[in-house]
Amino acid sequence: MVNVIASKHLGGFVSHVSGTVSKVGMHGQGLAVGSSTLEQFGEPLAVVGSFIFGAMLCGLLAGRDNLHEVHIGRTLYGIALLGNAALLVATVSLAGQEQAIYVAATACGLQNGMCTMHLGAICRTTHVTGLSTDIGTTYGRLLSIMIRSRCQRKLDPHDRLEFFVITAKLRIYHSLGFGFLFGSYTGAWLSFWMNVAGLYVPAGITFFLGVLYLWDRKALQMRQHEVEGKRSLNPQQADEVCALLDRTALLLGELGQQPAHGAELPHIRDVLQSLQTSLAERYRADADVNL
């Protein structure tokens, strides 16, 4: 929504930094040969700087990073949502002035930084270049599995696990892509109906979410703890798995002197590596997957 309304009423896009950086390069060359003015060079540069400044504000608010998990319920995430709403309202009040586009870019940087730090790099809400790349490469991996397994007729444990992960990722990617497209469509209608005041709608949404987050964050924390509890490994089952792995290691040691098919051990290694990676990702244990 913000990007479309900014394009129509503020004179340019404010969220997809790649194109704006390209403009900086183009006008830099134009400045050197005399075909661009200093103002044409400085405007996209300031938009990029504003976006980075917004993301920097998010990093400042987030505090110490946790390398293994996201802690739902941090007060400062709610403050970031309220700050985003305030920046969008300020953009409307500055409409018609040069500073408006920079304030909108700061809001986009804050929003994107917040979602990236809160949900991980899989969720970037202001641009779809990386998302489009992820969709393409993930479909390529899916096609590779389909060919290798003859359309799932001969799936080994490694391919079965990867197939499950890939389809789950694609559901997320498609949801994000549809959300961005729907937001752009809605933003165009808001621009048509309300002009630049259409920014009040996303401002109101983020303000409401920020207030809800701050008000209900204790319940969110409890819900996260419940989910983490359900995902925790059962100690008894974990001991049984460890015993099975120990017996497997002993058996491999006993059979180490016997001739074996050349593909057997690499296959066993791949299965165990997949299990190790799956456990590390699913339960977010402090495990080193490079053991």
Side-chain angles (χ1 to χ4, degrees):
M1 294 183 190
V2 176
N3 208 35
V4 170
I5 295 173
S7 172
K8 286 180 171 291
H9 299 286
L10 301 181
F13 293 111
V14 292
S15 70
H16 62 294
V17 180
S18 300
T20 309
V21 171
S22 298
K23 283 186 177 181
V24 173
M26 291 167 55
H27 289 302
Q29 186 272 342
L31 193 64
V33 300
S35 61
S36 296
T37 64
L38 187 60
E39 181 181 356
Q40 289 175 316
F41 172 77
E43 181 179 348
L45 184 63
V47 170
V48 174
S50 299
F51 188 97
I52 294 174
F53 177 71
M56 185 185 72
L57 289 177
C58 178
L60 181 65
L61 290 173
R64 178 175 295 180
D65 189 22
N66 187 297
L67 299 179
H68 299 286
E69 59 185 359
V70 172
H71 285 293
I72 294 175
R74 285 181 177 173
T75 304
L76 294 180
Y77 282 119
I79 294 176
L81 283 167
L82 298 180
N84 187 77
L87 287 170
L88 292 177
V89 171
T91 301
V92 178
S93 66
L94 291 172
Q97 301 183 38
E98 181 182 358
Q99 295 84 356
I101 192 170
Y102 307 134
V103 177
T106 303
C108 286
L110 176 59
Q111 173 190 320
N112 198 56
M114 177 184 60
C115 291
T116 300
M117 295 191 69
H118 190 72
L119 300 173
I122 194 174
C123 185
R124 299 181 185 271
T125 58
T126 59
H127 53 276
V128 292
T129 303
L131 177 63
S132 301
T133 304
D134 290 338
I135 290 175
T137 55
T138 305
Y139 268 114
R141 290 174 58 197
L142 181 63
L143 181 60
S144 174
I145 292 176
M146 297 296 288
I147 294 173
R148 190 165 59 244
S149 65
R150 298 181 182 178
C151 295
Q152 302 187 60
R153 287 195 293 268
K154 292 185 177 181
L155 275 176
D156 61 27
H158 181 275
D159 284 342
R160 187 175 294 108
L161 175 62
E162 187 175 9
F163 181 84
F164 172 79
V165 173
I166 286 174
T167 51
K169 284 185 176 182
L170 285 174
R171 286 194 294 270
I172 296 174
Y173 293 155
H174 289 158
S175 298
L176 291 173
F178 175 79
F180 192 92
L181 180 61
F182 180 75
S184 299
Y185 179 78
T186 305
W189 277 109
L190 290 174
S191 173
F192 179 76
W193 291 328
M194 304 171 63
N195 296 319
V196 72
L199 288 174
Y200 283 133
V201 175
I205 293 172
T206 53
F207 178 81
F208 172 77
L209 292 176
V211 172
L212 181 65
Y213 189 98
L214 291 172
W215 178 71
D216 207 33
R217 64 190 183 90
K218 292 297 183 183
L220 290 173
Q221 285 177 320
M222 294 178 61
R223 176 59 180 164
Q224 183 188 28
H225 293 155
E226 291 176 1
V227 171
E228 289 175 349
K230 293 178 180 178
R231 292 175 60 184
S232 298
L233 285 171
N234 182 289
Q236 182 179 355
Q237 293 177 343
D239 290 340
E240 292 176 358
V241 172
C242 289
L244 287 172
L245 291 174
D246 289 339
R247 289 196 291 271
T248 302
L250 289 174
L251 182 59
L252 285 173
E254 294 173 1
L255 300 178
Q257 303 302 322
Q258 299 183 17
H261 190 277
E264 289 180 356
L265 288 181
H267 176 70
I268 293 173
R269 180 197 60 201
D270 291 341
V271 171
L272 291 176
Q273 285 179 343
S274 297
L275 175 62
Q276 181 182 354
T277 303
S278 178
L279 287 172
E281 291 180 350
R282 180 172 178 80
Y283 297 101
R284 300 195 182 277
D286 296 332
D288 183 3
V289 297
N290 295 318
L291 290 176

PDB file of all heavy atoms in Angstrom, residues 115-141:
ATOM      1  N   CYS A 115      10.248  -6.821  10.691  1.00  0.00           N
ATOM      2  CA  CYS A 115       9.795  -8.157  10.298  1.00  0.00           C
ATOM      3  C   CYS A 115      10.974  -9.094  10.065  1.00  0.00           C
ATOM      4  O   CYS A 115      10.906 -10.283  10.374  1.00  0.00           O
ATOM      5  CB  CYS A 115       8.940  -8.063   9.034  1.00  0.00           C
ATOM      6  SG  CYS A 115       7.345  -7.266   9.305  1.00  0.00           S
ATOM      7  N   THR A 116      12.068  -8.562   9.514  1.00  0.00           N
ATOM      8  CA  THR A 116      13.240  -9.398   9.275  1.00  0.00           C
ATOM      9  C   THR A 116      13.847  -9.871  10.591  1.00  0.00           C
ATOM     10  O   THR A 116      14.175 -11.054  10.750  1.00  0.00           O
ATOM     11  CB  THR A 116      14.290  -8.628   8.460  1.00  0.00           C
ATOM     12  OG1 THR A 116      13.719  -8.248   7.207  1.00  0.00           O
ATOM     13  CG2 THR A 116      15.513  -9.489   8.207  1.00  0.00           C
ATOM     14  N   MET A 117      13.980  -8.984  11.555  1.00  0.00           N
ATOM     15  CA  MET A 117      14.579  -9.362  12.833  1.00  0.00           C
ATOM     16  C   MET A 117      13.634 -10.206  13.673  1.00  0.00           C
ATOM     17  O   MET A 117      14.055 -11.084  14.429  1.00  0.00           O
ATOM     18  CB  MET A 117      14.991  -8.118  13.621  1.00  0.00           C
ATOM     19  CG  MET A 117      16.087  -7.307  12.959  1.00  0.00           C
ATOM     20  SD  MET A 117      16.770  -6.038  14.039  1.00  0.00           S
ATOM     21  CE  MET A 117      17.619  -7.064  15.239  1.00  0.00           C
ATOM     22  N   HIS A 118      12.340  -9.975  13.526  1.00  0.00           N
ATOM     23  CA  HIS A 118      11.362 -10.674  14.346  1.00  0.00           C
ATOM     24  C   HIS A 118      11.045 -12.058  13.792  1.00  0.00           C
ATOM     25  O   HIS A 118      10.893 -13.018  14.550  1.00  0.00           O
ATOM     26  CB  HIS A 118      10.073  -9.849  14.413  1.00  0.00           C
ATOM     27  CG  HIS A 118       9.089 -10.357  15.426  1.00  0.00           C
ATOM     28  ND1 HIS A 118       9.296 -10.210  16.775  1.00  0.00           N
ATOM     29  CD2 HIS A 118       7.912 -10.999  15.298  1.00  0.00           C
ATOM     30  CE1 HIS A 118       8.270 -10.738  17.435  1.00  0.00           C
ATOM     31  NE2 HIS A 118       7.418 -11.222  16.556  1.00  0.00           N
ATOM     32  N   LEU A 119      10.959 -12.174  12.474  1.00  0.00           N
ATOM     33  CA  LEU A 119      10.523 -13.426  11.857  1.00  0.00           C
ATOM     34  C   LEU A 119      11.601 -14.107  11.041  1.00  0.00           C
ATOM     35  O   LEU A 119      11.389 -15.205  10.530  1.00  0.00           O
ATOM     36  CB  LEU A 119       9.302 -13.160  10.952  1.00  0.00           C
ATOM     37  CG  LEU A 119       8.081 -12.572  11.654  1.00  0.00           C
ATOM     38  CD1 LEU A 119       7.022 -12.196  10.636  1.00  0.00           C
ATOM     39  CD2 LEU A 119       7.521 -13.549  12.675  1.00  0.00           C
ATOM     40  N   GLY A 120      12.740 -13.454  10.871  1.00  0.00           N
ATOM     41  CA  GLY A 120      13.788 -14.056  10.057  1.00  0.00           C
ATOM     42  C   GLY A 120      13.755 -13.515   8.641  1.00  0.00           C
ATOM     43  O   GLY A 120      12.791 -12.883   8.187  1.00  0.00           O
ATOM     44  N   ALA A 121      14.809 -13.792   7.889  1.00  0.00           N
ATOM     45  CA  ALA A 121      14.960 -13.211   6.556  1.00  0.00           C
ATOM     46  C   ALA A 121      13.942 -13.738   5.561  1.00  0.00           C
ATOM     47  O   ALA A 121      13.796 -13.206   4.465  1.00  0.00           O
ATOM     48  CB  ALA A 121      16.374 -13.481   6.029  1.00  0.00           C
ATOM     49  N   ILE A 122      13.214 -14.810   5.931  1.00  0.00           N
ATOM     50  CA  ILE A 122      12.218 -15.343   5.013  1.00  0.00           C
ATOM     51  C   ILE A 122      11.053 -14.365   4.829  1.00  0.00           C
ATOM     52  O   ILE A 122      10.323 -14.425   3.849  1.00  0.00           O
ATOM     53  CB  ILE A 122      11.688 -16.699   5.525  1.00  0.00           C
ATOM     54  CG1 ILE A 122      10.921 -17.424   4.444  1.00  0.00           C
ATOM     55  CG2 ILE A 122      10.817 -16.520   6.750  1.00  0.00           C
ATOM     56  CD1 ILE A 122      10.497 -18.807   4.833  1.00  0.00           C
ATOM     57  N   CYS A 123      10.889 -13.457   5.771  1.00  0.00           N
ATOM     58  CA  CYS A 123       9.752 -12.544   5.723  1.00  0.00           C
ATOM     59  C   CYS A 123      10.238 -11.110   5.580  1.00  0.00           C
ATOM     60  O   CYS A 123      10.538 -10.447   6.567  1.00  0.00           O
ATOM     61  CB  CYS A 123       8.904 -12.703   6.992  1.00  0.00           C
ATOM     62  SG  CYS A 123       7.396 -11.713   6.971  1.00  0.00           S
ATOM     63  N   ARG A 124      10.315 -10.656   4.345  1.00  0.00           N
ATOM     64  CA  ARG A 124      10.635  -9.256   4.055  1.00  0.00           C
ATOM     65  C   ARG A 124       9.410  -8.662   3.395  1.00  0.00           C
ATOM     66  O   ARG A 124       8.990  -9.115   2.333  1.00  0.00           O
ATOM     67  CB  ARG A 124      11.868  -9.167   3.148  1.00  0.00           C
ATOM     68  CG  ARG A 124      13.120  -9.768   3.795  1.00  0.00           C
ATOM     69  CD  ARG A 124      14.315  -9.645   2.872  1.00  0.00           C
ATOM     70  NE  ARG A 124      15.475 -10.322   3.419  1.00  0.00           N
ATOM     71  CZ  ARG A 124      16.364  -9.763   4.223  1.00  0.00           C
ATOM     72  NH1 ARG A 124      16.209  -8.504   4.571  1.00  0.00           N
ATOM     73  NH2 ARG A 124      17.400 -10.445   4.674  1.00  0.00           N
ATOM     74  N   THR A 125       8.861  -7.620   4.008  1.00  0.00           N
ATOM     75  CA  THR A 125       7.511  -7.193   3.649  1.00  0.00           C
ATOM     76  C   THR A 125       7.453  -6.048   2.660  1.00  0.00           C
ATOM     77  O   THR A 125       6.360  -5.653   2.268  1.00  0.00           O
ATOM     78  CB  THR A 125       6.751  -6.776   4.921  1.00  0.00           C
ATOM     79  OG1 THR A 125       7.475  -5.722   5.563  1.00  0.00           O
ATOM     80  CG2 THR A 125       6.628  -7.951   5.872  1.00  0.00           C
ATOM     81  N   THR A 126       8.596  -5.472   2.262  1.00  0.00           N
ATOM     82  CA  THR A 126       8.524  -4.281   1.420  1.00  0.00           C
ATOM     83  C   THR A 126       9.019  -4.504   0.001  1.00  0.00           C
ATOM     84  O   THR A 126       8.961  -3.591  -0.806  1.00  0.00           O
ATOM     85  CB  THR A 126       9.348  -3.133   2.037  1.00  0.00           C
ATOM     86  OG1 THR A 126      10.712  -3.556   2.168  1.00  0.00           O
ATOM     87  CG2 THR A 126       8.799  -2.755   3.397  1.00  0.00           C
ATOM     88  N   HIS A 127       9.530  -5.677  -0.332  1.00  0.00           N
ATOM     89  CA  HIS A 127       9.994  -5.928  -1.691  1.00  0.00           C
ATOM     90  C   HIS A 127       9.928  -7.418  -1.991  1.00  0.00           C
ATOM     91  O   HIS A 127       9.872  -8.247  -1.092  1.00  0.00           O
ATOM     92  CB  HIS A 127      11.414  -5.405  -1.897  1.00  0.00           C
ATOM     93  CG  HIS A 127      12.394  -5.903  -0.889  1.00  0.00           C
ATOM     94  ND1 HIS A 127      12.563  -5.313   0.342  1.00  0.00           N
ATOM     95  CD2 HIS A 127      13.254  -6.938  -0.914  1.00  0.00           C
ATOM     96  CE1 HIS A 127      13.484  -5.951   1.022  1.00  0.00           C
ATOM     97  NE2 HIS A 127      13.919  -6.958   0.293  1.00  0.00           N
ATOM     98  N   VAL A 128       9.906  -7.760  -3.279  1.00  0.00           N
ATOM     99  CA  VAL A 128       9.701  -9.164  -3.671  1.00  0.00           C
ATOM    100  C   VAL A 128      10.811  -9.685  -4.574  1.00  0.00           C
ATOM    101  O   VAL A 128      10.679 -10.777  -5.115  1.00  0.00           O
ATOM    102  CB  VAL A 128       8.334  -9.331  -4.376  1.00  0.00           C
ATOM    103  CG1 VAL A 128       7.191  -9.116  -3.410  1.00  0.00           C
ATOM    104  CG2 VAL A 128       8.223  -8.407  -5.575  1.00  0.00           C
ATOM    105  N   THR A 129      11.896  -8.961  -4.734  1.00  0.00           N
ATOM    106  CA  THR A 129      12.987  -9.464  -5.567  1.00  0.00           C
ATOM    107  C   THR A 129      13.576 -10.746  -4.970  1.00  0.00           C
ATOM    108  O   THR A 129      13.696 -11.777  -5.648  1.00  0.00           O
ATOM    109  CB  THR A 129      14.095  -8.408  -5.718  1.00  0.00           C
ATOM    110  OG1 THR A 129      13.540  -7.212  -6.258  1.00  0.00           O
ATOM    111  CG2 THR A 129      15.199  -8.911  -6.635  1.00  0.00           C
ATOM    112  N   GLY A 130      13.929 -10.687  -3.695  1.00  0.00           N
ATOM    113  CA  GLY A 130      14.457 -11.880  -3.034  1.00  0.00           C
ATOM    114  C   GLY A 130      13.430 -12.982  -2.964  1.00  0.00           C
ATOM    115  O   GLY A 130      13.754 -14.169  -3.128  1.00  0.00           O
ATOM    116  N   LEU A 131      12.161 -12.612  -2.735  1.00  0.00           N
ATOM    117  CA  LEU A 131      11.094 -13.605  -2.680  1.00  0.00           C
ATOM    118  C   LEU A 131      10.937 -14.313  -4.021  1.00  0.00           C
ATOM    119  O   LEU A 131      10.781 -15.542  -4.076  1.00  0.00           O
ATOM    120  CB  LEU A 131       9.780 -12.930  -2.281  1.00  0.00           C
ATOM    121  CG  LEU A 131       8.540 -13.823  -2.252  1.00  0.00           C
ATOM    122  CD1 LEU A 131       8.695 -14.923  -1.212  1.00  0.00           C
ATOM    123  CD2 LEU A 131       7.295 -12.986  -1.962  1.00  0.00           C
ATOM    124  N   SER A 132      10.981 -13.559  -5.124  1.00  0.00           N
ATOM    125  CA  SER A 132      10.869 -14.157  -6.450  1.00  0.00           C
ATOM    126  C   SER A 132      12.028 -15.119  -6.714  1.00  0.00           C
ATOM    127  O   SER A 132      11.841 -16.209  -7.283  1.00  0.00           O
ATOM    128  CB  SER A 132      10.845 -13.070  -7.530  1.00  0.00           C
ATOM    129  OG  SER A 132       9.761 -12.189  -7.334  1.00  0.00           O
ATOM    130  N   THR A 133      13.226 -14.727  -6.286  1.00  0.00           N
ATOM    131  CA  THR A 133      14.387 -15.609  -6.422  1.00  0.00           C
ATOM    132  C   THR A 133      14.199 -16.879  -5.604  1.00  0.00           C
ATOM    133  O   THR A 133      14.467 -17.995  -6.081  1.00  0.00           O
ATOM    134  CB  THR A 133      15.667 -14.891  -5.968  1.00  0.00           C
ATOM    135  OG1 THR A 133      15.815 -13.687  -6.710  1.00  0.00           O
ATOM    136  CG2 THR A 133      16.891 -15.772  -6.183  1.00  0.00           C
ATOM    137  N   ASP A 134      13.716 -16.728  -4.373  1.00  0.00           N
ATOM    138  CA  ASP A 134      13.489 -17.901  -3.517  1.00  0.00           C
ATOM    139  C   ASP A 134      12.452 -18.843  -4.122  1.00  0.00           C
ATOM    140  O   ASP A 134      12.603 -20.069  -4.066  1.00  0.00           O
ATOM    141  CB  ASP A 134      13.030 -17.448  -2.126  1.00  0.00           C
ATOM    142  CG  ASP A 134      14.140 -16.777  -1.338  1.00  0.00           C
ATOM    143  OD1 ASP A 134      15.315 -17.020  -1.663  1.00  0.00           O
ATOM    144  OD2 ASP A 134      13.828 -16.001  -0.419  1.00  0.00           O
ATOM    145  N   ILE A 135      11.385 -18.274  -4.684  1.00  0.00           N
ATOM    146  CA  ILE A 135      10.355 -19.112  -5.310  1.00  0.00           C
ATOM    147  C   ILE A 135      10.945 -19.896  -6.474  1.00  0.00           C
ATOM    148  O   ILE A 135      10.714 -21.106  -6.626  1.00  0.00           O
ATOM    149  CB  ILE A 135       9.168 -18.244  -5.778  1.00  0.00           C
ATOM    150  CG1 ILE A 135       8.389 -17.717  -4.569  1.00  0.00           C
ATOM    151  CG2 ILE A 135       8.236 -19.050  -6.687  1.00  0.00           C
ATOM    152  CD1 ILE A 135       7.272 -16.768  -4.927  1.00  0.00           C
ATOM    153  N   GLY A 136      11.733 -19.217  -7.309  1.00  0.00           N
ATOM    154  CA  GLY A 136      12.330 -19.885  -8.457  1.00  0.00           C
ATOM    155  C   GLY A 136      13.280 -21.006  -8.066  1.00  0.00           C
ATOM    156  O   GLY A 136      13.202 -22.137  -8.582  1.00  0.00           O
ATOM    157  N   THR A 137      14.185 -20.728  -7.136  1.00  0.00           N
ATOM    158  CA  THR A 137      15.157 -21.743  -6.732  1.00  0.00           C
ATOM    159  C   THR A 137      14.465 -22.897  -6.000  1.00  0.00           C
ATOM    160  O   THR A 137      14.864 -24.067  -6.158  1.00  0.00           O
ATOM    161  CB  THR A 137      16.235 -21.146  -5.817  1.00  0.00           C
ATOM    162  OG1 THR A 137      15.617 -20.503  -4.689  1.00  0.00           O
ATOM    163  CG2 THR A 137      17.067 -20.116  -6.567  1.00  0.00           C
ATOM    164  N   THR A 138      13.431 -22.599  -5.227  1.00  0.00           N
ATOM    165  CA  THR A 138      12.731 -23.665  -4.503  1.00  0.00           C
ATOM    166  C   THR A 138      11.968 -24.564  -5.459  1.00  0.00           C
ATOM    167  O   THR A 138      11.952 -25.792  -5.298  1.00  0.00           O
ATOM    168  CB  THR A 138      11.777 -23.061  -3.461  1.00  0.00           C
ATOM    169  OG1 THR A 138      12.507 -22.183  -2.596  1.00  0.00           O
ATOM    170  CG2 THR A 138      11.140 -24.148  -2.616  1.00  0.00           C
ATOM    171  N   TYR A 139      11.345 -23.979  -6.472  1.00  0.00           N
ATOM    172  CA  TYR A 139      10.678 -24.807  -7.481  1.00  0.00           C
ATOM    173  C   TYR A 139      11.702 -25.646  -8.250  1.00  0.00           C
ATOM    174  O   TYR A 139      11.418 -26.774  -8.652  1.00  0.00           O
ATOM    175  CB  TYR A 139       9.870 -23.938  -8.450  1.00  0.00           C
ATOM    176  CG  TYR A 139       8.434 -23.761  -8.036  1.00  0.00           C
ATOM    177  CD1 TYR A 139       7.949 -22.508  -7.663  1.00  0.00           C
ATOM    178  CD2 TYR A 139       7.564 -24.832  -7.993  1.00  0.00           C
ATOM    179  CE1 TYR A 139       6.634 -22.340  -7.265  1.00  0.00           C
ATOM    180  CE2 TYR A 139       6.240 -24.678  -7.607  1.00  0.00           C
ATOM    181  CZ  TYR A 139       5.783 -23.424  -7.245  1.00  0.00           C
ATOM    182  OH  TYR A 139       4.468 -23.262  -6.854  1.00  0.00           O
ATOM    183  N   GLY A 140      12.899 -25.094  -8.451  1.00  0.00           N
ATOM    184  CA  GLY A 140      13.951 -25.871  -9.100  1.00  0.00           C
ATOM    185  C   GLY A 140      14.345 -27.083  -8.272  1.00  0.00           C
ATOM    186  O   GLY A 140      14.535 -28.192  -8.803  1.00  0.00           O
ATOM    187  N   ARG A 141      14.462 -26.892  -6.957  1.00  0.00           N
ATOM    188  CA  ARG A 141      14.769 -28.022  -6.072  1.00  0.00           C
ATOM    189  C   ARG A 141      13.642 -29.045  -6.085  1.00  0.00           C
ATOM    190  O   ARG A 141      13.882 -30.262  -6.087  1.00  0.00           O
ATOM    191  CB  ARG A 141      14.992 -27.511  -4.651  1.00  0.00           C
ATOM    192  CG  ARG A 141      16.276 -26.714  -4.467  1.00  0.00           C
ATOM    193  CD  ARG A 141      16.354 -26.119  -3.085  1.00  0.00           C
ATOM    194  NE  ARG A 141      16.280 -27.138  -2.049  1.00  0.00           N
ATOM    195  CZ  ARG A 141      15.996 -26.888  -0.772  1.00  0.00           C
ATOM    196  NH1 ARG A 141      15.762 -25.634  -0.393  1.00  0.00           N
ATOM    197  NH2 ARG A 141      15.951 -27.862   0.103  1.00  0.00           N
TER     198      ARG A 141
END
